[in-house]
Amino acid sequence: MFGKIGRNDPCWCGSGKKYKNCHEMFDTKIQKAKLTGHIVPPRNIIKNEEQIEGIKKSCVINIAVLDEIAKQIHEGMNTAEIDKIVYDMTTDMGGIPAPLHYEGYPYSVCTSVNDQVCHGFPSKDVVLKDGDIINVDCSTILNGYFSDSSRMFCIGNVSPEKKKLVDVTKEAVYKGLDEVKPWGFLGDMGQAVHDHCFANGYTVVREIGGHGVGLEFHEEPWVGYNSKKGHEMLLAPGMIFTIEPMVNMGGVEIFTDKKNGWEVYTADHKPSAQWEIMVLVTETGHEVLCY
Ligand code: MF3
Ligand code: CO
């Protein structure tokens, strides 16, 4: 690559430790996987301890904001009120809402109701009514470190069909999480998510997925759910990515609102649900950093 690192030289990860006591074994495993044809993580997505600590502090804000939304969300509330709570609380805690001005996105949060798949614009004209399901997707920047997670909320009396969609989507995320372990593959997770949704008669959106996160809002790898066990990127300790499937009650097809270029809907206007968690691959398994 860029010349060989001596075993007593400082490790490339920035830990300050000697290479032989840090990522030497790691690199051997990566090389082996590469030689057998696997996709392997680039070094710039492997976080060191200091970076993980910084990312965790960002997650503390993101979790607190979503906990606050959980307390305040109610029938009759408009989604612009959710945007204000997210902006105020994030900035009060010293953070910046990551969506605001991200590639021109005009709000601090995404609020996606019923047949909205993702990137729903908060609006005073969108008033939550009895029976709605809504995804609130929050992301925070703190000291340059990014966090990202989303939750579903059921407003009033939600039909059993919609409630099941919401529950199964969450179950699918955690079935995927069970598969996250060092030296496994991203496809192990993807297939577990997909299988659970498919078994319940749902479809999983193909075009939009999860992503590496932490040092940037969106990093490698792209995280899909139409993947197969043993395929996609090798998972290595220090990787952080989101699991965030968008699950449709009806068909898999989606479209983007041409007026604003952001809001995504199901083509058949049947409901869609999404939960998003942020997970760290550890030496022994995984750790959920944000939910
Ligand atoms: N939070 C979304 C995600 O999970 C990203 C939204 S992009 C934005 O990746 F611009 F709408 F914020
Ligand atoms: Co995300």
Side-chain angles (χ1 to χ4, degrees), residues 184 195 215 220 246 261:
D195 284 354
L215 308 180
E220 279 191 83
M246 295 157 202

Side-chain angles (χ1 to χ4, degrees), residues 98-100 102-103 105 110 119 137-139 148 209 211 217-218 242 244 262 274 276:
L100 194 57
Y102 174 78
E103 291 186 4
Y105 187 82
C110 301
H119 305 159
D137 190 341
C138 282
S139 317
D148 186 11
H211 50 93
F217 196 172
H218 297 114
T242 69
E244 51 172 317
W262 278 103
Q274 179 185 29
E276 175 177 18

Side-chain angles (χ1 to χ4, degrees), residues 26 40-42 45-47 52 186 213 220-221 233-241 279-282 289:
F26 177 103
V40 298
I45 65 164
I46 305 300
K47 280 78 178 170
I52 291 166
L186 200 55
V213 59
E220 279 191 83
M233 192 180 280
L234 179 73
L235 300 179
M239 282 175 71
I240 299 177
F241 59 89
V279 54
L280 166 71
V281 181
T282 64
L289 302 186

Side-chain angles (χ1 to χ4, degrees), residues 46-274:
I46 305 300
K47 280 78 178 170
N48 66 30
E49 281 308 315
E50 182 188 338
Q51 292 165 333
I52 291 166
E53 285 318 303
I55 293 163
K56 283 183 176 175
K57 287 185 183 132
S58 177
C59 292
V60 167
I61 299 179
N62 217 60
I63 293 165
V65 170
L66 277 167
D67 285 348
E68 186 60 27
I69 298 301
K71 274 188 207 148
Q72 293 202 38
I73 200 162
H74 61 272
E75 188 183 340
M77 178 186 222
N78 69 59
T79 53
E81 294 174 67
I82 296 175
D83 191 61
K84 181 168 165 42
I85 295 167
V86 171
Y87 181 84
D88 289 348
M89 189 157 170
T90 305
T91 52
D92 283 350
M93 292 181 77
I96 302 163
L100 194 57
H101 311 310
Y102 174 78
E103 291 186 4
Y105 187 82
Y107 301 99
S108 297
V109 64
C110 301
T111 51
S112 306
V113 182
N114 297 330
D115 65 331
Q116 281 186 318
V117 173
C118 65
H119 305 159
F121 282 4
S123 165
K124 62 177 183 1
D125 297 329
V126 178
V127 178
L128 297 178
K129 54 184 196 309
D130 187 53
D132 281 346
I133 58 170
I134 177 176
N135 172 276
V136 179
D137 190 341
C138 282
S139 317
T140 300
I141 314 170
L142 180 71
N143 302 322
Y145 293 116
F146 289 78
S147 54
D148 186 11
S149 59
S150 79
R151 302 183 200 166
M152 293 298 295
F153 299 101
C154 291
I155 307 301
N157 298 298
V158 168
S159 71
E161 291 78 15
K162 283 164 96 174
K163 176 78 169 59
K164 185 182 166 196
L165 175 70
V166 169
D167 291 345
V168 167
T169 303
K170 187 173 187 176
E171 289 162 13
V173 166
Y174 285 88
K175 283 186 185 287
L177 176 69
D178 283 344
E179 298 296 322
V180 176
K181 55 190 174 304
W183 318 114
F185 295 92
L186 200 55
D188 307 349
M189 181 284 298
Q191 182 169 351
V193 170
H194 190 274
D195 284 354
H196 189 61
C197 298
F198 186 79
N200 282 279
Y202 302 140
T203 59
V204 186
V205 170
R206 294 170 170 273
E207 299 89 333
I208 316 168
H211 50 93
V213 59
L215 308 180
E216 304 285 345
F217 196 172
H218 297 114
E219 305 172 0
E220 279 191 83
W222 184 78
V223 179
Y225 314 95
N226 287 282
S227 47
K228 291 279 171 259
K229 207 172 169 59
H231 291 262
E232 308 305 324
M233 192 180 280
L234 179 73
L235 300 179
M239 282 175 71
I240 299 177
F241 59 89
T242 69
I243 304 176
E244 51 172 317
M246 295 157 202
V247 181
N248 298 347
M249 191 184 284
V252 75
E253 294 80 18
I254 57 171
F255 71 92
T256 304
D257 187 333
K258 285 195 188 63
K259 289 196 300 293
N260 57 47
W262 278 103
E263 292 177 299
V264 179
Y265 294 82
T266 56
D268 57 14
H269 293 290
K270 289 191 177 162
S272 185
Q274 179 185 29

